[in-house]
Amino acid sequence: MAKPHSYKFCFGPWNLSEGADPYGPPTRPVQSFDWKLDQLREHGFEAMMFHDDDAVPDIDSKSSAQLVKEAKSLSKRLKDAGVAAEMVAPRLWFSPHTIDGAYTNNDPKCRKYAIERSLRCIDIARAMDTDLIVLWLAREGTYIRESKDARRCVDYLVEAMDKMLGYDKKIRLAIEPKPNEPMDHAYLPTIGHALAVAQLTRDPKRVGCLIESAHALLAGLDPADEIDFAMAFDKLWSLHLNDQNGMKFDQDKPFGSNNLRIAFNQVRTLERTGYGRHGEYVCFDVHPFRPTQPNHWMDHLVNSRQTFLRLLEKARSFDDKQAQALVKDRNYQALDQLVIEHLLGK
Ligand code: XLS
Ligand code: MG
């Protein structure tokens, strides 16, 4: 029997956030990058994911040479710590140039800024030995539908991705769909939209996706179904596991915090489809609850990883044979109870 797969885990510096929210200031002091890197290693994580300006702060003020120098120096710190860089994502939602969108901004000068910033993000990824660029299209979409031409915006998105794919022949783009927030309606809200637009690019095999549990839930979808769909195309290249309590703002709750069965089915699907066998990481895009005290700062990440591992045991010990017999007999009430009893533990 093949040795069961052991998953590799990852998080980003932003997952050790200070507690500020739209209604109040931070509740925890800012921690250093070194502290965050130490915590990551101490708690069994193997990689860190980055925004471009996590890796190179004040990126717009830096020359290309300075940008590569800083990215290389960070890469050395990571390697010395035995930590990989999982991906780099252009943070296209802070700049004054992206107030009304990045790639789909109505102003061609702003679209040009967003593409140039994305090419510099690729320079950072190269310097940090990762070929993965994550595109969370935070500000691609509308507050009112009449402000943009959604048909033309598909062309703008393809144009931006084509520029990135042409700039570097090895880079892979993982689109991270989300249906809303900060936008009222975001473009490319689901995995289906992401993989469809991949087909319009100059090199579809280098355009895949990243699923975030909460984003699928905000779209009214089951994250496990989104995982299965993406794996059918062999295009799930990263994963942000977390949780969400209903259709409200993106809560980035610890994995399993609200929906244990939905979490169980995500892990069961990863197992069944073989996610991770080509080096993909399980990332937890989670934030501490605002009242979390500094001495409990890592708990949401440690708990998410622990919950994942406990649910992995549950997935591997689930009585599939009995489940299939109940499916064959179309006895779904009993199947339902079989899952519940298994999760409750006998
Ligand atoms: C949204 C994104 C974001 C990261 C990656 O959930 O994952 O959290 O910044 O762009
Ligand atoms: Mg995310």
Side-chain angles (χ1 to χ4, degrees):
M1 177 137 154
K3 188 168 155 300
H5 176 67
S6 59
Y7 292 85
K8 298 188 295 180
F9 299 103
C10 165
F11 64 81
W14 66 89
N15 296 119
L16 285 169
S17 48
E18 292 79 27
D21 66 19
Y23 307 98
T27 56
R28 294 177 292 275
V30 176
Q31 284 292 357
S32 68
F33 178 79
D34 284 339
W35 181 84
K36 295 183 178 182
L37 188 56
D38 287 346
Q39 294 300 316
L40 180 137
R41 294 175 59 221
E42 198 180 308
H43 295 286
F45 290 79
E46 284 91 357
M48 192 179 264
M49 53 183 176
F50 293 89
H51 296 114
D52 51 3
D53 56 6
D54 292 324
V56 180
D58 307 320
I59 184 171
D60 287 337
S61 68
K62 303 280 170 68
S63 67
S64 299
Q66 181 60 23
L67 174 146
V68 170
K69 182 167 171 270
E70 290 187 26
K72 282 195 165 140
S73 139
L74 173 59
S75 183
K76 184 176 178 324
R77 284 166 72 184
L78 292 173
K79 283 177 181 155
D80 290 351
V83 172
E86 192 245 354
M87 66 84 175
V88 189
R91 192 201 300 267
L92 294 172
W93 49 93
F94 272 24
S95 163
H97 302 290
T98 59
I99 289 171
D100 188 24
Y103 306 134
T104 62
N105 196 301
N106 287 322
D107 178 344
K109 290 193 294 307
C110 295
R111 294 199 299 272
K112 184 168 176 290
Y113 163 83
I115 291 173
E116 283 171 358
R117 170 98 182 231
S118 305
L119 301 185
R120 286 160 62 83
C121 180
I122 292 172
D123 292 340
I124 294 172
R126 266 194 210 124
M128 295 180 71
D129 290 339
T130 175
D131 69 347
L132 193 60
I133 299 290
V134 164
L135 301 179
W136 170 45
L137 303 172
R139 298 202 185 280
E140 314 302 359
T142 52
Y143 296 103
I144 56 163
R145 175 171 165 70
E146 298 81 0
S147 64
K148 299 243 166 89
D149 173 337
R151 170 67 191 81
R152 193 180 308 140
C153 286
V154 175
D155 296 341
Y156 288 155
L157 289 168
V158 171
E159 179 194 345
M161 290 179 207
D162 280 354
K163 286 268 180 24
M164 290 179 242
L165 294 166
Y167 180 72
D168 182 299
K169 298 297 178 228
K170 291 205 214 64
I171 216 77
R172 293 178 298 142
L173 308 178
I175 300 169
E176 179 182 349
K178 183 178 179 183
N180 64 335
E181 195 201 30
M183 304 317 294
D184 178 48
H185 278 290
Y187 294 139
L188 309 193
T190 70
I191 287 300
H193 291 83
L195 295 181
V197 97
Q199 292 311 107
L200 299 178
T201 64
R202 64 188 286 171
D203 193 355
K205 69 178 176 322
R206 289 198 286 141
V207 183
C209 62
L210 176 161
I211 286 167
E212 176 154 330
S213 315
H215 298 181
L217 292 167
L218 285 168
L221 301 172
D222 183 307
D225 283 350
E226 294 286 273
I227 290 169
D228 268 321
F229 187 80
M231 290 301 282
F233 294 80
D234 281 332
K235 284 200 166 183
L236 184 61
W237 298 336
S238 185
L239 200 52
H240 286 181
L241 294 183
N242 55 16
D243 210 347
Q244 176 72 24
N245 183 19
M247 315 292 260
K248 54 176 79 104
F249 60 93
D250 188 350
Q251 295 177 293
D252 287 336
K253 287 182 134 185
F255 185 54
S257 171
N258 256 90
N259 306 289
L260 202 52
R261 185 151 176 193
I262 288 176
F264 167 69
N265 275 306
Q266 289 174 79
V267 177
R268 194 161 170 258
T269 297
L270 296 176
E271 273 289 278
R272 194 182 51 223
T273 55
Y275 177 84
R277 275 56 170 180
H278 304 294
E280 303 89 355
Y281 288 89
V282 172
C283 312
F284 296 112
D285 194 4
V286 293
H287 286 268
F289 302 128
R290 187 167 185 262
T292 298
Q293 299 179 70
N295 54 330
H296 305 138
W297 209 327
M298 273 297 292
D299 289 4
H300 62 305
L301 286 158
V302 172
N303 295 347
S304 294
R305 180 175 176 277
Q306 170 66 2
T307 302
F308 182 95
L309 293 173
R310 290 294 310 278
L311 289 172
L312 185 58
E313 287 164 15
K314 287 288 178 186
R316 288 175 174 168
S317 60
F318 182 60
D319 188 343
D320 265 321
K321 205 152 161 280
Q322 190 183 349
Q324 288 317 309
L326 293 171
V327 168
K328 194 159 177 290
D329 188 30
R330 212 181 74 195
N331 185 350
Y332 296 163
Q333 295 302 150
L335 177 61
D336 190 28
Q337 196 58 22
L338 177 73
V339 176
I340 292 169
E341 294 291 344
H342 184 61
L343 290 179
L344 289 173
K346 285 210 172 69

